[in-house]
Each structure stands twice: as structure tokens, then as C-alpha cells.
């Protein structure tokens, strides 16, 4: 109806002019549309279907995206229901692959082969570029032009951009396909043979029992997991050597894939770029997708042998099993399974046989390398895990995972799939190695004359009281033998890993350092009565160190007792400074948030000295003192003016500004041509620290005053997770054309509602109490020792318990239990954090002030050196 009204209002001359305008404009509009939207190369599997993941960019529309992928707008909205109300920049859309392949579906090969003789060839599809023809493809693929024409009778040259052209490559191998049936006789399976007569299956190596230290606790001994013989599974497969499993095939063709280069292809096939170019005369450095390259003769293995000593066993796929679950069950990565089983895909059939490379497993988890962005919940489901189980092995994982991110997948501890530790690694050697590494990491002590090690302490017997909220009464285990398999212990024994880590450290020092120690373990929860009952024990007055209790009321009672008898007492949990008041024997290991301010100022002054800094508080009446103090500290540490060299300034402006010559930079109009004429000169900018309130200003001031010429550091201070999420998302929208880094204080590291994609894009920095570097040797040694001792994985409390025991037992063995004045001169790098103690006042206790700093970068979290303390923790 609209068209009819429109036509009635036009004169004949107007119609002619309108038609000419439309005819002239249409080619340009088509070109704009083609250049505007690029087809995503990221593909994910969801509910058995394949999808492109398309990231929405500026000025894109639903219609344009649907057209680029060759689907209807309705189909796009059906897969992305939230898009019905509109789309936003950086939104991720799921595009069904079954309905599109860059705008059209590829033609069927059989329909294109008109000549019966052509059926003898293998074919690849070439996606045509603009103005390409048969002659061009003949030169590129080194194939006779008539063969290409015969294979594509319905296509005319020059091709339309995006056409699929069938390219005949080489003669097919007409021999029958190789299947399992070719190798089988009646009852014969080469992958499942009985053992030779007179031989017996090899037993799984048994771990040596842990050495004991003297403990008085509710438990019989240092805790171990269930080690029933049911887990010691025996296999009947005979070892298969590499020469028996590997079949050699020749390959001399490579089809170029998206984003591949000459260098990446040469690295893939372990040949030089010169060899590649010699095999393809006229080859240009710029490759095209679908282009076929001839390769020099080389050999590859169709079944890649695993680590030396592996064997193969077969697995028959059961109903409901997935490749991920099989991978987790046997501790073998999906990529390894695919290498061992040619043409294996993620679509399995019931009864299908899969060959499993069986090897010694030195980890209780396997590493999954993420191929495409997906929800953490979906990844956990793929492996048959709950999201909580996955998060327990990956403490820093967010709600989504990203390409190239590495995720730990715990193995299934069932028949046929349990971790087997190498028999050549003895537990004594492993923990000794751990102790040596930790000792090597200890910093050089810069102690005063009064704080010199006392040799007598090396042979001193120390008594430690470890007070944990084990809640054995609630679990019904008071006075009973501990059974680690009881399900009702999960909540009651929440802090049991702390005990395990603490005892492991003491055990290591006892064997390696000759530490003489007695540990008494008390079950102290939130009840003050339990703490008062312990004081009736006469031996408590001879205690050298008290660790705990974990809750406020019992700790206050024990702290008063420690003050009266001059006993060192450690609070493992609280950040409150009140517990240190008027008691010089109290030690607090968790830092107070106020200590972040000086350390943040040092971080900015050392790493980002020329940055423009904005401080945002969530509300004008919240955290007023903290943000003002931070502004004052930064003002003293950062220069009042920043001088930028003209050459670098010109480069930054061309990168971040839409203007070609003149740019408004922090209130100054700058002519880029003037900068280029004097590249060695400098331009000066004022460096005022801006303090803003989010509830008053939102991000309007930042949008108007952010610098195009230098880094913008945005410090967001607030303990409201709703504010944190909203602030992060809005700042992310402004970061497309601005160099921005976000620093979240005081406890943003504990917020689980923040989008990882936004954190990564803003290169977000967090302060946190502890950061475990799993790649370090000391951490690896600790995890191995913990597993071999307790047959379970360490958690955060395990690391904290180990660190506290390791530090304070070392300290007492050096200076005794009465030299608390030496704590500030005894810093130490530990597994989870560092300890740097300072006394608040002469009449108060000691506080650890160290904050771990890390940033989001390259789809991972990376620890940053804390410059306030002058060194970097491993």
C-alpha cells in the first residue's frame, strides 16, 4: 500500500530520475554491504548443531547480518531471542551453519560431475573471488582448464563472488576402504589379546605410606583418602610399539584455510617456505582460502604413538556417551583420541570402537584447550560435570570460556580410569624437592643485629595448637575413627583441607629440616564454650604457637589467653584490624583493604606513569575517605604534567582518532602534521587526578575528557556487585576507540557476576588475597605431594594451611617463638601469596600488608609484580 501511494505522487520525469539514481547507487550499496560484514571463523557446537559466533560491530543491522550469512532475519531471531528487542555492539550472535555457508549452500558434488570419467577424481570446493575465471583457477591449482569446466557445467565465467567452484585434484584410490573387518578372523581382535601363558598382569605401582609426625587430633593419623584395592585395575592388553601402531602415508596437497599463511603452513608440515615456493611456481605470499598447494614429499603417521610405554585398549561406545566423557574417563585429551583414531568425530554411534592410548597418568586432571567461546556450564555438561566441580579445579574460571583458554578437567576415579603416579617418583623425594625449592625462594633476610638466627632453635621441640571448626559433633564422628567417604562430612569438614595442608608442611619440614614438633588439633567452632573448655588443658600454657580459632568469639578468648601467657597466636581468616588492638601477640595474615591504596599508587607510578587517571566511587556518600586518600596519594606520586614525544603522540592519534589532521586532545587542538614535522619534540599535558561519583555523573565526564593520546586508567571503588557489573558493561561500550584500563577495588576479585569478555577487553586489574600460579615448579610439587598423601585435590584452604605452617614453623626454627619483633624483617614468598608483616603500633599486633595483583590478558589471568615491595612473586 505504501508503494502505491508513493507511485501516485511521482511525476514521470521524477520516476526516470529516481530509477537512474537507484541504478547508479545499487552497485556501491552492494559493495558497502560486502565490505561491512565479514563471516566469522569461530564455530561452536550446541545441542548437536554447528553455529557461527558472530560479533556485532558498529553500524551492523539484523538484516545485513542475516543477508551476509544467507539466512532470513526470522531464522536469526529464532536462534537469538534477545535480538528481537534490538542488537548492541559486541553482542555475540549464534548463526546456524546448516542454513548458510557465506551466503549460499555449497552445491552437491555429484550434481556437478557430468562426465563419468571425472568421477575418478577427488574434489575440493573453491570459493570464487571477484572477476575470477576458469583460466585463473587452472593456473592456481595446476589443473587442466577443461577438467574444471567439465566439473562445473552450470557455472559461467567470470564467476560471481562467493560462487562454489568444484576443482578436480587427483585420481581417487579405488581400493576398498580399510575397516576393522579386514583384520578380523573369527574371535580375533588385534587390540584386545590375552596375555601370553605364564605371564601375569602388571600391578599398578603402590604409593609408599606417608611419614608421620606426632599429632594429637580427632583423627588417627595424617588423613588419607580411600585406597581400596578396587581401584588398582589390571589390563590385559599387550604393549604396542610405535612401529606396530604407526602406518605411513604420503601427502602432497594442502588446501589453504582461513587465516593461514606461508609461514604457518611451513611450520605445520616442518618444511621451509623456500621448499613450499619451489613446489608451487608463481606462488605469492598472499594466499587465498581454498587455494591448493603442492607439498614436497614427506611422511606423516596416521596413528600418532603416545608417550613411550603406552599401550592401546579399545572402548566400545555406550548409549549416551560423548567423546568428551570418554576423554575424561581415560585421562586422554580429545585431540589425542582424534590423532589415534583416524576420522574420529564428536558424533559417536552406539557400539563404535575407539582406540585409547593407555599411559601412566601423572595428573588427576586433563587439560582441555577451548576452541570456541562457550558457557562454562555447557563445557562442564559436555564432560559430565557440574559447574561447581569444574570451578573447583579452575578457581579463576568465569561464566564463559574463550578460544585458546586452558581448562582443567578432573578425571573420573572409577574402574579403568584412575591416576597412576610414576613408580620412579618416591613421595619422600617429591616433598624433599618441594622443601628445597621453597627454601630457595626465600628472600635474603635483611635483619637487624637483634634478629639473627639462634642455632639452638634447630633442635628445639615446638608445640602447636591448631584450632579448626571441624564440627565433628554435627557429623556424628566425635570420638570415632574418621571415614573420608562419609557423605555427611562435606559440610561439617569444610576446613579439613586446611588441616591437610598444614600437616603436609610440618611433615616436609620434619623430614627435610629436622623440625621437632608436636601438633594438637582442637575442634573449635563458633561456640565460646568450646574455647573456654580448651583452656582447662594444662598443656596449653606450654604452647609455642596457636593457629585459630577461625571465628570471632572463640578467637577473642584465645587471644586474651595468649596475651596473658605471651604466646604467639595467628588469625587465619579475619581482615579486621580490631583484633590487633592492645595485643602484641596477635598476628593477622589477611591484609586490610586500606593497604591497597599505597600499593595501587606504586603500581600506576611504576607501570603506567604517563596515564590519565579517573577515580570513580559508586555513590557520592560511600567510601568518601578512601577515594580522597587515594587521590592524595596519587597526586604525590604522579607528576603534575606529562610530556609526550611528538612521534609517539602522532602515532597514538592516528590509531585512536577519526580525524586525519586536527584532533582535540584533552582540550588542546593538535595538528598532526606539526607533530610529524618535529618528531623529536615534546607536547605537555596537565595531569590532574579526577575524582568522580558514578551516581551523579555516570560515565559522561569520562566520555568527554578521556585522552586519545595516552592510556586512561579508570579506578572503580565500590563493594556493590550490581554497581560493578553495570560500571564494567558501560565502560566496555566506551572502550572501542579509547585506550582504557580498569582497576576494580576493593574486592572486585570476589564478584562472580562480571563478564569475562569485558574484563579481557578492558585489561582489568584486580587486587586479591592470594593468587596461585599453577605453572610454577613449587606449586606443581605441592600438588603432587598433596595428591600422593591424601588421594584428593588441594583447594584454596589447602594452600593457605600449607603457607601458614611453612612460614611460622620456619620462623620459629630460626628465631624461636618469643621473637615477634623479628617478623617485619622476615618476609617470605609462599605458594598462595607473600607475607610482609608490619606492627600497627608498639602495643598492637602484626598485620600482613601484601596484596596480590593480577590482570586479564590473552584469555587468562596473569600475575603482576607488586612494585611496592620491590620484587615479583613466582
Amino acid at each position: 500500500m505504501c508503494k502505491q501511494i508513493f507511485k501516485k505522487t511521482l511525476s514521470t520525469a521524477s520516476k526516470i530520475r529516481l530509477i537512474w539514481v537507484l541504478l547508479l547507487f545499487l552497485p556501491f550499496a552492494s559493495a558497502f554491504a560486502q565490505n561491512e560484514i565479514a563471516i566469522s571463523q569461530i564455530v561452536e557446537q550446541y545441542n548437536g548443531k554447528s553455529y557461527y559466533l558472530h560479533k556485532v560491530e558498529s553500524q551492523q543491522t539484523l538484516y545485513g547480518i542475516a543477508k551476509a550469512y544467507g539466512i532470513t532475519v526470522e531464522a536469526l531471531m529464532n536462534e537469538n531471542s534477545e535480538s528481537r528487542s534490538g542488537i548492541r555492539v559486541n553482542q555475540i550472535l549464534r548463526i546456524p551453519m546448516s542454513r548458510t555457508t557465506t551466503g549460499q549452500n555449497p552445491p552437491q558434488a555429484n550434481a556437478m560431475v557430468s562426465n563419468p570419467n571425472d568421477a575418478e577424481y577427488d574434489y575440493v570446493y573453491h570459493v570464487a573471488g571477484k572477476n575470477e575465471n576458469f583460466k585463473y583457477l587452472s593456473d592456481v591449482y595446476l589443473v587442466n582448464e577443461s577438467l574444471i569446466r567439465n566439473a562445473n557445467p552450470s557455472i559461467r565465467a567470470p564467476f560471481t563472488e562467493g560462487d562454489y567452484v568444484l576443482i578436480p585434484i587427483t585420481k581417487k584410490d579405488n581400493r576398498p576402504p580399510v575397516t576393522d573387518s579386514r583384520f578380523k578372523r573369527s574371535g580375533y581382535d588385534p587390540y584386545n589379546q590375552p596375555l601370553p601363558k605364564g605371564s601375569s598382569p602388571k600391578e599398578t605401582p603402590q604409593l609408599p605410606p606417608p611419614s608421620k609426625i606426632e599429632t594429637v587430633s580427632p583423627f588417627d593419623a595424617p588423613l588419607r583418602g580411600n585406597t581400596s584395592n578396587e581401584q588398582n585395575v589390571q589390563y590385559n592388553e599387550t604393549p604396542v610399539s610405535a612401529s606396530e601402531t604407526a602406518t605411513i602415508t604420503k601427502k602432497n596437497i594442502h588446501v589453504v584455510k582461513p587465516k593461514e599463511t606461508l609461514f604457518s603452513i611451513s611450520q605445520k608440515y616442518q618444511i621451509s617456505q623456500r621448499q613450499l615456493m619451489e613446489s608451487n611456481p608463481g606462488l605469492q605470499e598472499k594466499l587465498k582460502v581454498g587455494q591448493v598447494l603442492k607439498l614436497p614429499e614427506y611422511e606423516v603417521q596416521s596413528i600418532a604413538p603416545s608417550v613411550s610405554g603406552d599401550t592401546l585398549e579399545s572402548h566400545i561406545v555406550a548409549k549416551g556417551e560423548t567423546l568428551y566423557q570418554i576423554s575424561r574417563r581415560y585421562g586422554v585429551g580429545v585431540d589425542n583420541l582424534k590423532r589415534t583414531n583416524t576420522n574420529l568425530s564428536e558424533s559417536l554411534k552406539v557400539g563404535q570402537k575407539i582406540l585409547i592410548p593407555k599411559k601412566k597418568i601423572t595428573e588427576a586432571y586433563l587439560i582441555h584447550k577451548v576452541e570456541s567461546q562457550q558457557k562454562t556450564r555447557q563445557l562442564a555438561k559436555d564432560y559430565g560435570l557440574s559447574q561447581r566441580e569444574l570451578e573447583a579445579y579452575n578457581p579463576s574460571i568465569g561464566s564463559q570460556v574463550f578460544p585458546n583458554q586452558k581448562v582443567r578437567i578432573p578425571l573420573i576415579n572409577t574402574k579403568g580410569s584412575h591416576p597412576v603416579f610414576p613408580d620412579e617418583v618416591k613421595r619422600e623425594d617429591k616433598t624433599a624437592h618441594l622443601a628445597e625449592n621453597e627454601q630457595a625462594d626465600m628472600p635474603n633476610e635483611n635483619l637487624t643485629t637483634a634478629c639473627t638466627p639462634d642455632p639452638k632453635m634447630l633442635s628445639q621441640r615446638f608445640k602447636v595448637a591448631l584450632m579448626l571448626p571441624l564440627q565433628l559433633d554435627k557429623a556424628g564422628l566425635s570420638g570415632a575413627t574418621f571415614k573420608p567417604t562419609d557423605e555427611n562430612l562435606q559440610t561439617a569438614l569444610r576446613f579439613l583441607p586446611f588441616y591437610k595442608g598444614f600437616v603436609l608442611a610440618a611433615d616436609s619440614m620434619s623430614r627435610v629440616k629436622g623440625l621437632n614438633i608436636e601438633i594438637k588439633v582442637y575442634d573449635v567452632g563458633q561456640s565460646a564454650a568450646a574455647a573456654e573448655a580448651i583452656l582447662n588443658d594444662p598443656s596449653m600454657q606450654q604452647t609455642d604457637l596457636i593457629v585459630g580459632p577461625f571465628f570471632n568469639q572463640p578467637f577473642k578468648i584465645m587471644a586474651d589467653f595468649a596475651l596473658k601467657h605471651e604466646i604467639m597466636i595467628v588469625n587465619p581468616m579475619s581482615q579486621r584490624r580490631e583484633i590487633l588492638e592492645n595485643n602484641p601477640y596477635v598476628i593477622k595474615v589477611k591484609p586490610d583493604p586500606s593497604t591497597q591504596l599505597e600499593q595501587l599508587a606504586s603500581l600506576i607510578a611504576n607501570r603506567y606513569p604517563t596515564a590519565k587517571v579517573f577515580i570513580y566511587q559508586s555513590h557520592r556518600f560511600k567510601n568518601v575517605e578512601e577515594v580522597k586518600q587515594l587521590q592524595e596519594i596519587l597526586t604525590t606520586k604522579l607528576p603534575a604534567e606529562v610530556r609526550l614525544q611528538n612521534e609517539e603522540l602522532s602515532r597514538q592519534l592516528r590509531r585512536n582518532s577519526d580525524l586525519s589532521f586536527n584532533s582535540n586532545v584533552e582540550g588542546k587542538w593538535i595538528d598532526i602534521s606539526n607533530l610529524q614535522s618535529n618528531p623529536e619534540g615534546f607536547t605537555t599535558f596537565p595531569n590532574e587526578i579526577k575524582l568522580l561519583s558514578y551516581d551523579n555523573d555516570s560515565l559522561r565526564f569520562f566520555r568527554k575528557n578521556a585522552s586519545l593520546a595516552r592510556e586512561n586508567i579508570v579506578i572503580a571503588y565500590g563493594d556493590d556487585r550490581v554497581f560493578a557489573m553495570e560500571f564494567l558493561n558501560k565502560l566496555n561500550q566506551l572502550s572501542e576507540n579509547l585506550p582504557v584500563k580498569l582497576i576494580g577495588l576493593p574486592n572486585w576479585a570476589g564478584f562472580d557476576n562480571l563478564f569475562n569478555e569485558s574484563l579481557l577487553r578492558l585489561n582489568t586489574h584486580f587486587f586479591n588475597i592470594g593468587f596461585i600460579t599453577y605453572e610454577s615448579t613449587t606449586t606443581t610439587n605441592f600438588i603432587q605431594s598433596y595428591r600422593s598423601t591424601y588421594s584428593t585435590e588441594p583447594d584454596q584452604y589447602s594452600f593457605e594451611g600449607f603457607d601458614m605452617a611453612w612460614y611460622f614453623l620456619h620462623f620459629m626454627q630460626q628465631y624461636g617463638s618469643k621473637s615477634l619483633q623479628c617478623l617485619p624483617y622476615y618476609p617470605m614468598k609462599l605458594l598462595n601469596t607473600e607475607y610482609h608483616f608490619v606492627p600497627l603500633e608498639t602495643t598492637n599486633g602484626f598485620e600482613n600488608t601484601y596484596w596480590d595483583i593480577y590482570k586479564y590478558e590473552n584469555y587468562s589471568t596473569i600475575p603482576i609484580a607488586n612494585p611496592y615491595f620491590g620484587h615479583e612473586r613466582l
Side-chain angles (χ1 to χ4, degrees):
M1 183 176 179
C2 293
K3 290 184 179 179
Q4 292 175 354
I5 296 173
F6 183 65
K7 286 181 179 178
K8 289 179 182 178
T9 60
L10 287 176
S11 64
T12 304
S14 299
K15 289 181 184 178
I16 296 174
R17 285 196 296 270
L18 177 62
I19 292 171
W20 274 107
V21 170
L22 291 174
L23 290 175
L24 289 171
F25 178 75
L26 281 175
F28 296 102
S30 176
F32 292 151
Q34 291 174 3
N35 293 334
E36 201 172 314
I37 300 178
I39 302 302
S40 171
Q41 302 299 323
I42 302 176
V43 178
E44 76 162 2
Q45 300 291 326
Y46 183 74
N47 287 342
K49 298 180 181 179
S50 296
Y51 294 89
Y52 290 109
L53 295 184
H54 178 83
K55 185 176 182 181
V56 179
E57 297 181 359
S58 179
Q59 298 183 351
Q60 290 184 356
T61 64
L62 276 176
Y63 174 78
I65 295 171
K67 183 178 179 182
Y69 285 91
I71 64 175
T72 64
V73 175
E74 184 63 27
L76 182 59
M77 291 192 296
N78 286 340
E79 299 292 346
N80 305 269
S81 57
E82 70 280 3
S83 65
R84 293 184 181 275
S85 58
I87 57 176
R88 63 182 186 278
V89 175
N90 295 327
Q91 181 179 353
I92 303 298
L93 298 178
R94 191 179 279 127
I95 313 293
M97 288 187 66
S98 58
R99 304 183 183 183
T100 173
T101 307
T102 61
Q104 61 172 329
N105 291 322
Q108 297 297 320
N110 293 337
M112 294 194 128
V113 180
S114 59
N115 191 334
N117 295 329
D118 291 344
E120 299 178 359
Y121 289 89
D122 284 325
Y123 292 87
V124 295
Y125 280 113
H126 172 85
V127 182
K130 193 174 183 179
N131 295 325
E132 290 181 354
N133 54 32
F134 290 111
K135 178 67 168 61
Y136 171 79
L137 296 185
S138 173
D139 294 337
V140 169
Y141 288 93
L142 303 178
V143 177
N144 190 292
E145 183 179 343
S146 62
L147 292 177
I148 303 177
R149 288 181 178 275
N150 291 338
N152 302 273
S154 60
I155 297 181
R156 295 183 180 180
F159 308 135
T160 302
E161 187 172 4
D163 278 350
Y164 282 85
V165 184
L166 206 59
I167 309 295
I169 301 300
T170 55
K171 293 283 186 180
K172 286 186 176 179
D173 185 354
N174 292 322
R175 292 177 295 177
V178 178
T179 62
D180 286 348
S181 61
R182 289 190 56 192
F183 296 102
K184 287 188 177 181
R185 299 189 296 272
S186 177
Y188 174 75
D189 188 341
Y191 303 113
N192 190 12
Q193 290 297 299
L195 292 172
K197 293 182 178 180
S199 64
S200 59
K202 294 182 180 180
E203 294 184 356
T204 302
Q206 297 296 313
L207 296 172
S211 58
K212 293 185 178 180
I213 59 175
E214 184 173 348
T215 60
V216 181
S217 74
F219 316 118
D220 295 334
L223 304 181
R224 292 177 56 81
N226 188 3
T227 56
S228 68
N229 292 332
E230 293 180 1
Q231 293 183 358
N232 298 328
V233 183
Q234 300 168 354
Y235 296 93
N236 294 325
E237 288 77 16
T238 55
V240 184
S241 66
S243 60
E244 292 173 328
T245 62
T247 59
I248 306 302
T249 60
K250 301 260 185 182
K251 291 193 176 182
N252 61 350
I253 285 177
H254 174 82
V255 180
V256 178
K257 297 179 179 62
K259 299 183 180 180
E260 282 191 325
T261 64
L262 281 179
F263 176 76
S264 65
I265 296 172
S266 65
Q267 292 295 304
K268 177 177 181 179
Y269 295 102
Q270 297 182 353
I271 57 178
S272 67
Q273 295 185 56
R274 172 173 286 184
Q275 288 177 298
L276 199 56
M277 299 186 77
E278 288 176 352
S279 300
N280 299 270
L283 181 64
Q284 302 295 321
E285 290 187 5
K286 188 175 182 180
L287 304 178
K288 294 191 174 184
V289 175
Q291 185 175 348
V292 175
L293 304 181
K294 285 193 172 183
L295 306 174
E297 290 291 326
Y298 78 103
E299 294 182 338
V300 295
Q301 296 178 344
S302 60
I303 298 180
S306 303
V307 183
S308 177
D310 285 3
T311 62
L312 286 177
E313 61 177 304
S314 57
H315 175 85
I316 305 300
V317 177
K319 185 177 180 180
E321 277 191 321
T322 67
L323 193 60
Y324 293 102
Q325 292 170 350
I326 296 171
S327 165
R328 180 183 168 220
R329 175 176 179 180
Y330 291 94
V332 179
V334 172
D335 54 346
N336 199 348
L337 290 177
K338 289 182 177 179
R339 286 197 301 269
T340 307
N341 298 267
T342 308
N343 299 326
L344 179 65
S345 69
E346 295 176 9
S347 300
L348 304 181
K349 296 180 180 179
V350 176
Q352 180 179 349
K353 178 186 286 185
I354 299 177
L355 301 181
I356 310 294
K358 179 177 165 289
K359 60 184 179 182
K360 290 178 178 177
I361 302 173
T362 58
E363 304 285 357
Y365 56 83
L366 59 87
I367 298 296
H368 171 84
K369 189 174 182 181
V370 179
E371 294 182 358
S372 60
Q373 181 179 345
Q374 67 177 135
K375 292 183 178 180
T376 303
R377 182 176 64 253
Q378 182 60 43
L379 177 62
K381 183 178 179 181
D382 290 342
Y383 278 101
L385 294 163
S386 67
Q387 186 169 349
R388 179 171 295 181
E389 288 175 314
L390 190 63
E391 290 172 346
Y393 276 72
N394 303 271
S396 62
I397 199 170
S399 59
Q400 295 191 19
V401 291
F402 297 87
N404 297 321
Q405 184 176 349
K406 294 181 179 179
V407 182
R408 292 180 176 85
I409 306 296
L411 304 184
I412 303 175
N413 194 16
T414 60
K415 184 175 181 180
S417 62
H418 65 282
V420 181
F421 291 90
D423 49 8
E424 66 270 16
V425 180
K426 304 296 183 182
R427 177 178 175 274
E428 289 79 10
D429 295 336
K430 178 61 73 175
T431 49
H433 186 205
L434 173 66
E436 290 168 3
N437 276 333
E438 287 292 338
Q439 183 64 22
D441 282 341
M442 289 173 57
N444 294 326
E445 295 129 23
N446 181 21
L447 304 180
T448 64
T449 306
C451 291
T452 55
D454 185 353
K456 296 178 182 179
M457 295 298 105
L458 294 174
S459 57
Q460 176 78 24
R461 182 174 178 80
F462 296 102
K463 296 182 179 181
V464 177
L466 182 57
M467 300 184 180
L468 304 175
L470 300 174
Q471 303 179 24
L472 298 182
D473 291 337
K474 291 185 179 180
L477 292 174
S478 181
T481 301
F482 175 68
K483 298 178 182 179
T485 57
D486 284 353
E487 295 180 1
N488 60 346
L489 296 179
Q490 185 174 2
T491 302
L493 298 181
R494 175 187 172 193
F495 294 101
L496 180 60
F498 186 96
Y499 166 83
K500 293 179 179 180
F502 195 96
V503 171
L504 184 60
D507 183 36
S508 300
M509 290 189 61
S510 177
R511 288 181 294 101
V512 178
K513 302 289 185 180
L515 177 68
N516 192 354
I517 185 172
E518 174 188 321
I519 301 176
K520 278 193 174 183
V521 181
Y522 298 92
D523 186 1
V524 183
Q526 301 186 47
S527 171
E532 291 172 347
I534 293 172
L535 300 183
N536 296 326
D537 183 354
S539 64
M540 278 296 298
Q541 297 184 19
Q542 284 75 48
T543 302
D544 297 289
L545 172 67
I546 301 173
V547 178
F550 280 40
F551 295 103
N552 294 334
Q553 286 188 334
F555 184 83
K556 179 66 170 63
I557 293 171
M558 282 299 165
D560 292 341
F561 175 82
L563 175 63
K564 180 179 179 180
H565 298 280
E566 300 182 350
I567 300 172
M568 182 163 51
I569 181 170
V570 179
N571 188 303
M573 303 302 294
S574 179
Q575 289 183 263
R576 297 182 305 111
R577 282 181 165 173
E578 291 84 355
I579 66 173
L580 304 177
E581 292 177 357
N582 302 316
N583 193 336
Y585 294 94
V586 176
I587 303 168
K588 181 170 72 75
V589 298
K590 298 289 178 73
D592 186 85
S594 64
T595 58
Q596 292 177 344
L597 307 182
E598 287 280 359
Q599 296 176 41
L600 173 58
S602 294
L603 175 73
I604 295 175
N606 280 269
R607 295 181 70 94
Y608 314 111
T610 62
K612 185 170 185 178
V613 180
F614 300 82
I615 303 174
Y616 270 91
Q617 60 190 118
S618 61
H619 192 279
R620 58 186 177 278
F621 299 126
K622 289 185 177 180
N623 307 115
V624 177
E625 293 183 5
E626 289 87 348
V627 294
K628 285 186 176 179
Q629 184 181 357
L630 178 59
Q631 183 185 34
E632 293 172 1
I633 296 172
L634 286 170
T635 302
T636 60
K637 285 187 176 290
L638 298 178
E641 292 183 338
V642 170
R643 299 173 69 235
L644 301 180
Q645 190 170 14
N646 289 344
E647 183 178 12
E648 177 62 25
L649 178 57
S650 173
R651 187 180 300 114
Q652 283 289 107
L653 292 181
R654 286 196 174 279
R655 181 185 303 129
N656 298 320
S657 176
D658 294 333
L659 301 176
S660 300
F661 298 103
N662 292 324
S663 296
N664 187 345
V665 182
E666 302 183 33
K668 290 184 177 183
W669 282 98
I670 296 179
D671 190 332
I672 296 179
S673 60
N674 292 338
L675 300 177
Q676 294 173 337
S677 63
N678 182 23
E680 301 300 324
F682 289 87
T683 301
T684 302
F685 297 95
N687 197 34
E688 182 183 359
I689 311 298
K690 297 292 184 181
L691 179 56
L692 304 161
S693 174
Y694 182 71
D695 66 321
N696 263 352
D697 181 73
S698 183
L699 288 172
R700 291 188 297 272
F701 183 88
F702 173 77
R703 184 171 60 249
K704 294 178 181 179
N705 295 275
S707 178
L708 294 170
R710 52 185 174 136
E711 199 83 58
N712 296 282
I713 301 290
V714 179
I715 303 169
Y717 202 107
D719 52 10
D720 182 348
R721 64 176 57 231
V722 176
F723 155 70
M725 181 173 67
E726 181 178 332
F727 189 91
L728 175 68
N729 294 341
K730 288 191 175 181
L731 185 63
N732 180 51
Q733 294 174 11
L734 299 178
S735 66
E736 185 174 356
N737 297 316
L738 291 171
V740 183
K741 282 182 170 59
L742 171 64
I743 300 176
L745 296 177
N747 297 310
W748 278 39
F751 295 158
D752 57 3
N753 61 330
L754 306 181
F755 294 112
N756 272 341
E757 184 179 349
S758 300
L759 296 173
L760 288 164
R761 185 168 184 177
L762 293 170
N763 196 215
T764 309
H765 292 45
F766 284 158
F767 280 62
N768 195 38
I769 303 174
F771 183 90
I772 301 171
T773 308
Y774 285 95
E775 293 77 16
S776 74
T777 304
T778 52
T779 302
T780 302
N781 289 337
F782 167 74
I783 293 173
Q784 292 283 16
S785 300
Y786 193 95
R787 289 173 183 158
S788 64
T789 305
Y790 305 117
S791 298
T792 186
E793 287 295 305
D795 65 7
Q796 182 68 29
Y797 288 131
S798 307
F799 283 91
E800 292 181 7
F802 184 94
D803 282 355
M804 284 182 217
W806 192 259
Y807 178 87
F808 289 105
L809 297 182
H810 265 98
F811 179 83
M812 290 195 300
Q813 203 175 28
Q814 291 284 319
Y815 308 108
S817 59
K818 304 299 182 182
S819 302
L820 274 72
Q821 75 279 3
C822 297
L823 283 170
Y825 305 101
Y826 196 71
M828 184 181 287
K829 299 178 183 180
L830 299 161
L831 293 176
N832 181 53
T833 188
E834 297 186 15
Y835 284 167
H836 293 260
F837 290 104
V838 296
L840 290 189
E841 294 177 8
T842 54
T843 58
N844 293 342
F846 295 83
E847 176 187 40
N848 176 33
T849 60
Y850 187 88
W851 283 92
D852 290 89
I853 310 172
Y854 64 92
K855 64 179 178 179
Y856 283 78
E857 187 176 278
N858 296 329
Y859 298 103
S860 62
T861 50
I862 301 173
I864 301 177
N866 190 331
Y868 183 80
F869 297 94
H871 63 276
E872 183 173 0
R873 185 173 66 85
L874 291 177

